[in-house]
Amino acid sequence: MNMPHPEPTHNDDPEGIYRDDRRLDHAEGASRPLRSQPEKQPRGAKARGNRPIDQAEAAARFMAAPRHAKMHDERLWDLRQKRDREMHGILEWEELRALASAIKEHTLTHLDEYLEQFEANARANGIHVHWARDAAEHNRIVHGILADHGAKSLIKSKSMLTEECRFRDYMASVGIEVIETDLGERIQQLDHEDPSHIVVPAVHKTRTDVAEVFAKTIGTDPGNSDVHYLAESEREANRPLILAADAGMTGGNFVVAETGGFVVCTNEGNADLSANVPKLHIASIGIEKIIPRLEHLAVFVRLLSRSALGSPITQYTSHFRGPRAGGEMHVVLVDNGRSERLGMAEFWTSLKCIRCGACMNTCPVYRRSGGLSYGATYSGPIGLIIDPTFNARKYSSLPFASTLNGSCTNVCPVKINIHEQIYAWRRELVKQHEVPFAKKAAMKAAGELLSRPAAYRAAVGAAEGALAHLPRFVVYNALNAWGKHRENPHPVEQTFHDWYQANRGGNDE
Ligand code: SF4
């Protein structure tokens, strides 16, 4: 199917959306025509210390900006469709997924051995290897390396790990300038916003949003939102900073124990600039990124870009095995909660993640609410299962931002049982008393109803009657958030239970 929004339109009102000749009043309907003026970019969730993030509130603000919400949904669904096309071009796709999953599970269950093997081989290659227990230690180690070299500016390529470590904030506090080299990440840096997606950091922004940011920060024409003009202007502004930088930083998509090297995949070649322009290269890499042998790399490289962007391979797959002549290379291996997660019986397989973003692109909640609504480093389905491992209270609302439809699990190239882990987190949060009283009470009432067939059937009958006769304002009013984005189902003439009784006469007690 090519259309992301398959609702039929009505000839009388091309902007309206109709079903069975009834105009739909939900968010994508035409009750609020799109405005011709540029729409203000909705901002992300408000973080208040350790208090739970209100994802639903931020998502509601995102959906209240229909141009952004529609553009976001369509862009990501387009990536999902491209991914499907690539997947269908590889007959052994499911075997590749199974193999990738098995390699990751094997590696994670022998993590200590492979990390030690990597360290020994990397040192033999002339790489300095450091170990960081947490974000603070990571930041201190990198600062120490930069201070030893008198470095005052650092160019870096996109890395979710450094977002986890709030690395740029730390560097600002010690007076070192950090310049992002990935275009999307640079846009987010200039706008003082976190990335909203792990692969396409500024996917929630329209061209006019980017034009506004660049006009304020690098002096472009605020009325010109041509993408070529914007990209070229940013390149012109950033290139001198890159050429003058004292040090470069990359992440690492895969670390190979057998060779002591690591691999960085990008589409802009910016990691190669970060690694090769200055003489000092620092790579910050999570310990779960390790794979045993070089031959395993092919499995992941075939899966990564197809799953992420629906392209057969990333434009640049750069291998680093040691410092360049006259240069210096450091690898900082970061734990930051990963060892603890490895010990969590229900959640350890989340460490298999290769950060492709496919689960985000397919998720109906993520596509409609925007990554910044999660108020966390990792958003979308993968965020729902990782974020609570960092702080169960702060991210306690996130596992509820899912329909549990399982699409995330189906597309995951390393076969993480994402939707099952989301469900497991809900149980865990109830156990830890991190679920609001109203939600707990509603779930208890639903449980009671569903466990009593007679009461359930009576409730279904009453609901069917209500659906047929309730005035619309009862559902669609300012007080009922449910009605803002949903259309009531039509009452059916016969429920499945009635049909079953009439045709099979079964006893379903
Ligand atoms: S959980 Fe799976 S689909 Fe989601 S980002 Fe990680 S590897 Fe990709």
Side-chain angles (χ1 to χ4, degrees):
M1 193 193 309
N2 289 323
M3 286 291 290
H5 304 295
E7 302 287 8
T9 52
H10 195 272
N11 289 340
D12 298 342
D13 177 1
E15 290 203 339
I17 293 179
Y18 287 76
R19 185 188 293 149
D20 298 341
D21 272 343
R22 246 178 72 198
R23 183 174 172 126
L24 305 185
D25 290 337
H26 59 63
E28 290 176 351
S31 55
R32 283 173 297 171
L34 299 180
R35 283 170 280 163
S36 56
Q37 289 303 310
E39 180 182 80
K40 226 176 153 31
Q41 185 200 320
R43 295 294 173 176
K46 297 178 184 99
R48 299 180 186 91
N50 203 31
R51 282 169 60 183
I53 293 289
D54 191 347
Q55 194 269 345
E57 180 274 331
R61 278 191 284 108
F62 189 79
M63 286 187 285
R67 283 193 172 171
H68 283 80
K70 187 166 186 291
M71 173 275 299
H72 191 258
D73 183 20
E74 289 180 354
R75 271 186 191 171
L76 294 168
W77 188 245
D78 183 50
L79 293 181
R80 161 70 208 267
Q81 288 180 310
K82 285 182 180 150
R83 171 254 173 220
D84 288 353
R85 281 198 288 274
E86 283 297 325
M87 176 201 74
H88 289 306
I90 303 230
L91 292 179
E92 67 277 23
W93 183 260
E94 286 308 316
E95 285 79 6
L96 270 181
R97 287 178 74 213
L99 187 55
S101 171
I103 294 168
K104 280 283 182 182
E105 288 192 9
H106 165 81
T107 316
L108 288 167
T109 49
H110 298 77
L111 195 56
D112 52 342
E113 293 166 32
Y114 287 118
L115 285 170
E116 282 173 12
Q117 189 186 353
F118 169 78
E119 181 181 26
N121 288 331
R123 286 193 196 282
N125 295 344
I127 301 174
H128 300 267
V129 180
H130 310 258
W131 298 87
R133 251 184 307 269
D134 54 24
E137 191 172 8
H138 163 267
N139 294 343
R140 277 199 305 274
I141 289 170
V142 177
H143 181 209
I145 300 167
L146 295 174
D148 286 348
H149 290 76
K152 286 282 165 212
S153 65
L154 174 79
I155 49 173
K156 72 177 275 292
S157 65
K158 185 161 64 62
S159 144
M160 292 310 293
L161 176 65
T162 55
E163 298 292 333
E164 241 180 69
C165 297
R166 309 307 302 174
F167 176 71
R168 282 203 309 259
D169 295 343
Y170 179 86
M171 283 291 117
S173 74
V174 294
I176 293 178
E177 186 187 14
V178 177
I179 302 126
E180 296 288 348
T181 53
D182 174 274
L183 175 59
E185 191 71 24
R186 181 66 173 164
I187 293 168
Q188 291 306 96
Q189 180 185 20
L190 292 174
D191 200 22
H192 305 288
E193 242 188 2
D194 289 339
S196 74
H197 187 287
I198 58 182
V199 177
V200 270
V203 69
H204 60 295
K205 278 185 161 68
T206 62
R207 284 187 298 158
T208 46
D209 296 333
V210 177
E212 199 180 314
V213 174
F214 282 0
K216 278 188 204 148
T217 52
I218 59 173
T220 54
D221 172 3
N224 191 343
S225 60
D226 176 76
V227 286
H228 301 289
Y229 166 72
L230 292 173
E232 190 58 31
S233 303
E234 193 277 338
R235 187 176 186 277
E236 292 298 316
N238 227 17
R239 198 48 64 105
L241 303 176
I242 291 172
L243 295 176
D246 301 319
M249 179 182 248
T250 65
N253 293 81
F254 305 102
V255 174
V256 187
E258 171 186 56
T259 63
F262 57 96
V263 175
V264 186
C265 304
T266 67
N267 281 309
E268 297 173 26
N270 56 301
D272 303 82
L273 287 176
S274 305
N276 293 309
V277 173
K279 287 194 170 166
L280 175 61
H281 175 192
I282 304 168
S284 294
I285 309 176
I287 55 174
E288 83 284 14
K289 294 291 177 73
I290 197 145
I291 55 173
R293 292 202 298 279
L294 197 56
E295 68 184 73
H296 297 146
L297 189 61
V299 176
F300 294 100
V301 168
R302 290 185 80 194
L303 288 166
L304 178 62
S305 189
R306 288 185 169 92
S307 300
L309 300 172
S311 56
I313 195 163
T314 44
Q315 301 293 326
Y316 300 85
T317 302
S318 304
H319 295 244
F320 297 98
R321 277 220 191 168
R324 57 193 263 213
E328 201 171 299
M329 182 182 281
H330 295 253
V331 169
V332 188
L333 292 166
V334 186
D335 187 316
N336 203 31
R338 286 157 175 78
S339 299
E340 208 178 315
R341 204 181 308 152
L342 194 56
M344 296 177 168
E346 288 186 288
F347 307 114
W348 72 276
T349 57
S350 63
L351 287 162
K352 293 193 291 182
C353 177
I354 57 170
R355 308 281 191 263
C356 71
C359 56
M360 306 161 96
N361 303 344
T362 199
C363 175
V365 176
Y366 176 86
R367 280 190 277 119
R368 286 165 179 81
S369 53
L372 297 177
S373 70
Y374 295 73
T377 301
Y378 300 100
S379 52
I382 183 59
L384 305 193
I385 59 176
I386 289 184
D387 296 322
T389 67
F390 291 112
N391 188 332
R393 161 149 300 183
K394 186 165 183 181
Y395 302 118
S396 56
S397 73
L398 299 192
F400 296 90
S402 168
T403 64
L404 297 181
N405 62 63
S407 180
C408 46
T409 300
N410 290 340
V411 299
C412 178
V414 285
K415 289 176 89 82
I416 300 173
N417 58 337
I418 306 171
H419 73 293
E420 289 171 357
Q421 291 193 33
I422 295 171
Y423 182 57
W425 263 115
R426 292 183 185 180
R427 284 200 310 265
E428 182 60 30
L429 291 165
V430 170
K431 259 194 252 161
Q432 293 186 22
H433 306 290
E434 296 294 359
V435 173
F437 174 76
K439 196 184 285 275
K440 257 198 324 213
M443 290 298 120
K444 193 156 188 285
E448 293 286 330
L449 188 66
L450 293 171
S451 63
R452 290 181 169 73
Y456 173 72
R457 277 201 297 279
V460 169
E464 288 293 329
L467 275 177
H469 302 295
L470 265 188
R472 285 184 67 77
F473 75 83
V474 174
V475 175
Y476 301 100
N477 61 58
L479 297 175
N480 186 5
W482 187 93
K484 278 186 198 158
H485 307 292
R486 296 179 176 90
E487 185 64 22
N488 260 332
H490 291 189
V492 292
E493 284 176 10
Q494 187 181 37
T495 64
F496 173 74
H497 182 262
D498 293 340
W499 177 89
Y500 193 80
Q501 288 294 343
N503 290 281
R504 303 282 160 84
N507 181 357
D508 63 351
E509 293 294 333

